[in-house]
Amino acid sequence: MPESGLNVEVIVIHFLPDCLGRYLLNLPEAFMLPKLFEKAKSGMVIKGEARTELAKLMRQAAEATNLDRIIILLSILKVLAENEDFEPITLSHSDFHQSNESDTIRLNKVCSYTLANYKQEISLEKIAAIGNLSVTSFCRYFKLMTKKTYFDFLTEIRISHACRFLIEDKLPTEVLCFECGYNNISNFYRHFKRVTGMTPLEYKRRYIKGQKQAISA
């Protein structure tokens, strides 16, 4: 945010409530998770020590691979479920669409398809067909369910993967943009700047600087 002089870092973790299977949510040991997801319907601004701990876990998640990512996700859910020091973003659930089971199943299908195919071109016609809706109905449905357009959601998915690739530093920017679903680098730069507020090079430099400061601290 150049106009304010503030440095902003964005880490986005997308997951569905039943991404680890519905069986997990039915375990007696996981009784706090359904309560967490209910609270999260109004949005949550985390405060106190949990905020610091979650920031650390999310940075670890950005670098983790394989099973370590799942372990860190469970750790994040544990912190969120046990934390009571937060404020809701909205005052009531009435601001949100109260979805039924068929809505949730449809959204799961759409999100799962997107996460598996974000590298490919996804047209509104294609994703609407996945949800078994017309394009017009799908656009209305997705905005109602998520408070964002489908292409905003797809862009967030692609840019979150781009951030991970930049941190891993295994691919040049000219290559990783194609790995994230963009067919030209100028389009990638435009979307990256819109989501993160900085260029890919600035993002990488800021991450490296933060790592050095953390080591020296």
Side-chain angles (χ1 to χ4, degrees), residues 30 37-40 43 56-57 82 91-92 107 112 124 150-151 156 177-178 182 188 195 207:
F37 296 141
E38 186 65 25
K39 289 187 292 185
K56 179 181 177 181
L57 286 169
E82 294 178 349
L91 296 179
S92 73
L107 187 62
S112 296
L124 278 177
Y150 176 74
F151 282 124
E156 289 176 1
C177 76
F178 294 99
Y182 293 99
F188 167 68
V195 173
Y207 175 79

Side-chain angles (χ1 to χ4, degrees), residues 14 114 149-161 180 182 191-192 194-195:
H14 293 278
T114 305
T149 68
Y150 176 74
F151 282 124
D152 283 341
F153 170 69
L154 178 59
T155 297
E156 289 176 1
I157 294 292
R158 287 172 169 170
I159 297 305
S160 66
H161 281 280
C180 296
Y182 293 99
H191 285 291
F192 193 96
R194 181 169 66 85
V195 173

Side-chain angles (χ1 to χ4, degrees), residues 119 173-185 188:
K119 295 182 182 181
T173 306
E174 294 77 9
V175 175
L176 72 82
C177 76
F178 294 99
E179 289 295 312
C180 296
Y182 293 99
N183 54 18
N184 67 74
I185 194 166
F188 167 68

